[in-house]
Amino acid sequence: MVLQRIFRAVIMGPPGSGKGTVSARITKTFGLKHISSGDILRTNINAKTELGLLMKSCIDQGQLVPDDVMCRLILSDLRAMGQSSWLLDGFPRTVFQAEALDDAYSMDTVINLNVPFHTIKQRLTSRWTHLPSGRVYNVDFNPPKVLGLDDVTGEPLVQRDDDTPDTVTRRLKAYETQTEPVLEYYRSKGVLQIFSGTETNKIWPHVEAFLHRKLSSVKQKVA
Ligand code: ATP
Ligand code: MG
């Protein structure tokens, strides 16, 4: 599908709700650029940049990175996108961040993956990540072809330091208190679209159909 005007979307959902997997499918199917705040932070941590080292302790404790740091990081990346259409994953995570984003861009749609917390806890603790790309696998329902190795590059997979049971509990708490209010913020703007389920493969066709409808109406308005 070829887009005729810039399309800007946010994908939300609790940690481990499948944002990374669904984002990869959206960007592949619809040709949007993917900006993942978590991937950007992990790239900084891996490269041992000053910012990365500072953020690592926050993240490993299951806490959010301070709003001002996050806003600077993401908004400068978005400016670098120029006239591209994009999908933001992991940002905004607080109402402060949502307002900062809103000052710069208006969103066409906000997709929320609504997955129950007990499903998420099981998933996160059996998850393996390819850090350079952000690709994720799950030993239970989405294993890599070779255990411990990325399907595409053959490089090693790691278990994220923040995917331990205690940290997962703290991340879910942070989600409830700080991120759930963002859903209300977007609901009141009339752009929130909710997709509920326990399996990414069952949620995906609904997201895909929704975006096909949404993007063809964008094209019609332009025509
Ligand atoms: P998943 O990777 O399954 O979506 P997640 O949503 O918890 O899980 P990431 O989005 O990868 O994880 O983020 C990892 C950590 O990075 C968060 O727990 C938080 O500490 C920090 N972080 C990421 N995005 C933000 C943000 N917008 N504001 C503040 N902290 C953030
Ligand atoms: Mg993620």
Side-chain angles (χ1 to χ4, degrees):
M1 181 177 284
V2 180
L3 274 178
Q4 281 151 28
R5 83 156 169 82
I6 302 173
F7 186 78
R8 298 185 176 111
V10 169
I11 184 163
M12 297 186 58
S17 56
K19 293 188 296 286
T21 305
V22 172
S23 294
R25 292 185 190 176
I26 291 175
T27 52
K28 189 165 166 233
T29 310
F30 298 98
L32 310 181
K33 297 219 164 112
H34 179 208
I35 300 152
S36 155
S37 58
D39 290 351
I40 292 172
L41 291 170
R42 281 184 290 277
T43 303
N44 274 282
I45 290 172
N46 238 22
K48 300 203 163 37
T49 65
E50 201 180 328
L51 179 80
L53 294 174
L54 248 133
M55 299 306 113
K56 183 168 169 49
S57 62
C58 265
I59 294 174
D60 287 354
Q61 287 168 38
Q63 288 169 354
L64 293 187
V65 168
D67 278 334
D68 56 329
V69 177
M70 231 34 242
C71 288
R72 245 182 293 135
L73 200 62
I74 299 296
L75 289 170
S76 80
D77 275 25
L78 291 180
R79 274 192 294 274
M81 291 284 149
Q83 299 302 302
S84 307
S85 293
W86 42 250
L87 173 70
L88 253 181
D89 158 10
F91 183 97
R93 245 186 176 83
T94 63
V95 171
F96 182 97
Q97 294 176 13
E99 284 169 348
L101 179 64
D102 195 59
D103 286 343
Y105 304 97
S106 71
M107 292 305 114
D108 291 292
T109 191
V110 175
I111 290 167
N112 181 46
L113 305 182
N114 181 31
V115 178
F117 276 17
H118 69 266
T119 309
I120 278 165
K121 284 202 101 167
Q122 278 169 357
R123 272 189 198 177
L124 287 177
T125 43
S126 57
R127 172 165 81 168
W128 290 79
T129 305
H130 177 242
L131 282 179
S133 68
R135 271 186 290 281
V136 289
Y137 301 88
N138 191 291
V139 287
D140 298 326
F141 60 87
N142 172 33
K145 292 194 189 103
V146 180
L147 217 61
L149 299 181
D150 177 45
D151 286 354
V152 178
T153 62
E155 290 167 350
L157 302 175
V158 298
Q159 198 151 31
R160 275 168 45 177
D161 292 340
D162 59 343
D163 280 349
T164 62
D166 279 359
T167 308
V168 165
T169 303
R170 261 179 263 131
R171 283 160 65 196
L172 289 174
K173 196 87 218 134
Y175 174 80
E176 271 183 326
T177 57
Q178 291 167 278
T179 308
E180 271 183 348
V182 180
L183 295 177
E184 205 39 59
Y185 177 88
Y186 284 128
R187 195 197 311 276
S188 73
K189 290 193 176 284
V191 290
L192 184 67
Q193 195 68 31
I194 299 171
F195 299 88
S196 301
T198 55
E199 289 171 50
T200 304
N201 284 338
K202 291 193 180 151
I203 292 178
W204 165 244
H206 298 283
V207 174
E208 186 181 23
F210 165 74
L211 283 175
H212 268 295
R213 286 198 302 275
K214 185 87 198 164
L215 290 169
S216 62
S217 81
V218 164
K219 280 210 291 192
Q220 272 163 17
K221 272 188 218 149
V222 169

